[in-house]
Amino acid sequence: MFSRLTALTLATTAVLALPVAARAEPGGCVKGAVAGGVAGHFIGSGHGKGGAAAGCAAGMVRRHNARKAEREGAAAQNQQPEGGQPGGNGAPPPPPTNGSSE
């Protein structure tokens, strides 16, 4: 049988181990569920589970959008031309003209 002290110790260990195992990413089901559960609890009795479910869904959408933006940003960087100049072929740009003929 678990005593209250054992249950508290296991819960504390699990909560303290989460930041070590998790990467720093926006959103996510667990983060959203915790926030939604707390919000649902303060709204009223019986709303904690619904808030947790909604928070989990919102967190998953947020993480999906963040990963998608990260992939698109990486793809855009990989498509940059080699010369460092937009639309260039690696050749230096032409010298600027000031309107006078030399």
Side-chain angles (χ1 to χ4, degrees):
M1 293 197 150
F2 281 133
S3 68
R4 287 185 180 168
L5 182 59
T6 305
L8 180 63
T9 303
L10 289 174
T12 304
T13 304
V15 168
L16 293 176
L18 282 176
V20 175
R23 295 187 309 169
E25 286 186 289
C29 182
V30 174
K31 291 178 186 177
V34 169
V38 169
H41 171 74
F42 283 112
I43 287 175
S45 176
H47 290 90
K49 290 179 184 175
C56 177
M60 288 171 52
V61 168
R62 185 174 178 201
R63 173 151 311 157
H64 170 75
N65 290 337
R67 286 181 178 168
K68 184 177 177 182
E70 184 178 317
R71 281 193 306 266
E72 289 172 354
Q77 261 188 344
N78 290 340
Q79 291 178 355
Q80 187 175 6
E82 290 232 353
Q85 301 293 328
N89 56 2
T97 58
N98 57 7
S100 63
S101 58
E102 295 179 28

